[in-house]
Amino acid sequence: MRTVVVDGPASIRVDTRPDPALTGPDGVIVAVRAAGICGSDLHFYEGDYPMAEPVALGHEAVGTVVEAGPEVRTVKVGDEVLVSSVAGCGACPGCATNDPVMCYSGLTIFGGGVLPGAQSDLLAVHAADFQVRKIPEGISTEQALLLTDNLATGWAAAQRADIPYGGTVAVIGLGAVGLCALRSALVQGAATVFAIDRVEGRLQRAAQWGGTPITAPATEAVLAATGGRGADAVIDAVGTDASMTDALSAVRPGGTVSVVGVHDLQPFPFPALMSLIRSITLRMTTAPVQRTWPELIPLLQSGRLDVEGIFTTTLPLDEAAKAYATAAARSGDDVKVLLTP
């Protein structure tokens, strides 16, 4: 099978590797029909994380079950499925909460060097009854792919931001997760969502979807727009020192900062005294993907939550190097790239 591999900064290739075998009687093999490039994949591509050996990339996949172990109950061969990007053992009390982050064995993520990469022809998935879901009626391929990670992340970011009904929210970073967080915040009751980025095209896109565009950095503009008070909640979908500092400065006293952007491996100089004096709540979240599905799927099916237009570019798997270069450019025209094996 083919699989996308990174072996150094900006060095992407498509390898041919042996087809995967079932991980056990509770596992499935999925023939991948579509895979997404996530902002967190770019940390490997841009050299933020050390690699002892090449890493097979990707943690967002939908496809067809082509083999299933005898203990798999919820899906069968031939089913079209989506795969949670975040995985747990599926059998412990933590996983019983439908949040793989709570797995007693520790969460794992596809395409991070431990589990196989989803940007492949085939993907072996363990504990399939926990990790995999049959794509529900009325859910498109792009919606299903967003349910594997980005939409679940944006939704959880908004939930953990303590958004008051009619409140003000600032979303920093208008990539796929940030745009999902913007739309989630509006559905969850925000009256105003300040949409913050440096890229003009992304600001314009957010404005079309109900955001109030602000060019980063945001603190002064958010304070000016709120009469000096600050936003009730700030969602940071970037996760750099600059964006987290901006978020903590732009939130009102007693407000909440919800961080879902993936930071690098360097320590963050946390402004502890300022945050203490202003009674700031800080939450940092890896998406509880499976837990979000019962909430998000009906909202997508009903049309109340609209995620059309987040995928902007589609390329074949063999053009993965071009796809990663496109994603890394972070332009206004190219928000999220879909790969088609």
Side-chain angles (χ1 to χ4, degrees):
M1 71 167 188
R2 298 168 301 161
T3 189
V4 176
V5 170
V6 60
D7 57 11
S11 180
I12 293 284
R13 68 175 189 270
V14 180
D15 265 2
T16 299
R17 296 186 173 185
D19 290 353
L22 287 174
T23 58
D26 64 351
V28 296
I29 305 294
V30 176
V32 179
R33 178 161 50 84
I37 295 179
C38 180
S40 55
D41 293 327
L42 297 179
H43 280 287
F44 291 99
Y45 180 77
E46 294 171 340
D48 293 332
Y49 298 153
M51 292 180 292
E53 58 186 23
V55 173
L57 289 169
H59 51 262
E60 304 172 355
V62 300
T64 306
V65 176
V66 294
E67 188 176 356
E71 295 180 7
V72 177
R73 302 180 305 278
T74 58
V75 296
K76 63 183 184 303
V77 171
D79 283 345
E80 295 292 313
V81 297
L82 56 95
V83 183
S84 171
S85 59
V86 187
C89 72
C92 70
C95 289
T97 68
N98 281 330
D99 183 354
V101 179
M102 299 298 128
C103 180
Y104 282 21
S105 300
L107 69 88
T108 48
I109 299 174
F110 287 95
V114 177
L115 296 179
Q119 294 163 11
S120 303
D121 288 316
L122 298 169
L123 180 64
V125 183
H126 67 285
D129 288 336
F130 182 62
Q131 254 76 255
V132 169
R133 173 159 183 158
K134 185 176 179 180
I135 297 176
E137 184 178 350
I139 297 296
S140 69
T141 295
E142 292 186 355
Q143 289 173 330
L145 205 48
L146 290 172
L147 284 167
T148 68
D149 180 6
N150 288 173
L151 181 55
T153 300
W155 183 257
Q159 284 184 320
R160 289 174 61 81
D162 300 326
I163 300 169
Y165 288 109
T168 58
V169 179
V171 175
I172 302 176
L174 302 176
V177 170
L179 290 173
C180 287
L182 184 156
R183 295 184 177 194
S184 297
L186 290 169
V187 170
Q188 292 179 33
T192 301
V193 179
F194 300 113
I196 300 155
D197 205 288
R198 298 181 184 274
V199 180
E200 181 61 30
R202 296 191 174 197
L203 292 168
Q204 293 174 2
R205 192 182 300 274
Q208 294 170 359
W209 293 339
T212 300
I214 291 177
T215 301
T219 299
E220 290 186 7
V222 170
L223 291 176
T226 56
R229 183 167 177 262
D232 295 308
V234 181
I235 297 169
D236 180 4
V238 180
T240 62
D241 286 3
S243 66
M244 286 196 285
T245 299
D246 207 20
L248 289 162
S249 301
V251 72
R252 66 165 172 80
T256 298
V257 172
S258 176
V259 179
V260 287
V262 179
H263 197 261
D264 59 27
L265 297 178
Q266 301 304 312
F268 169 59
F270 181 67
L273 180 59
M274 178 193 76
S275 300
L276 173 73
I277 291 172
R278 300 177 68 238
S279 297
I280 303 303
T281 297
L282 172 65
R283 293 196 172 105
M284 307 183 80
T285 306
T286 297
V289 178
Q290 291 89 325
R291 184 184 60 72
T292 70
W293 289 342
E295 299 167 344
L296 289 171
I297 288 169
L299 288 170
L300 291 171
Q301 289 171 322
S302 68
R304 285 198 59 211
L305 179 59
D306 177 16
V307 292
E308 294 306 311
I310 290 178
F311 279 99
T312 53
T313 309
T314 299
L315 289 167
L317 189 74
D318 286 335
E319 295 186 27
K322 178 181 178 181
Y324 268 84
T326 299
R330 295 176 174 87
S331 74
D333 295 326
D334 301 299
V335 175
K336 189 166 178 68
V337 180
L338 185 151
L339 291 170
T340 55

